Amino acid sequence: MTVDLYRRRIAATVVELARDDPFLVKEVIARLRTAGEIEADDLVYLDRIADRWITIAQVNVQRGSSAHPCQTRG
């Protein structure tokens, strides 16, 4: 396996994790920054992806809870 392919697979896995559990990703990034294991500007792109998925989840919850009664009947 080439290095480029390996890096792409890692990046895809990390982005998928940010989509699946964005709060966990943000928490881990914050811990790494606090511990000094990464610089303050490291993983900013991943932080933004997690923020985006958090926003999407919040919109989905709002749509689900504010659905018109006619839409919720089977």
Side-chain angles (χ1 to χ4, degrees):
M1 177 182 311
T2 66
V3 173
D4 287 339
L5 179 59
Y6 178 74
R7 287 182 179 173
R8 280 186 289 202
R9 285 187 181 177
I10 298 249
T13 302
V14 170
V15 169
E16 184 177 337
L17 179 59
R19 182 178 57 217
D20 292 344
D21 196 347
F23 293 105
L24 174 65
V25 170
K26 290 189 70 65
E27 182 181 328
V28 170
I29 291 171
R31 285 183 185 178
L32 290 171
R33 285 182 181 141
T34 302
E37 294 186 35
I38 61 172
E39 296 295 322
D41 61 345
D42 286 349
L43 302 180
V44 171
Y45 69 97
L46 188 55
D47 211 11
R48 288 183 188 150
I49 292 169
D51 285 337
R52 178 70 180 132
W53 283 106
I54 289 170
T55 302
I56 290 169
Q58 290 169 342
V59 168
N60 288 340
V61 167
Q62 289 174 351
R63 285 183 184 165
S65 63
S66 65
H68 192 275
C70 292
Q71 294 174 339
T72 59
R73 287 190 231 153

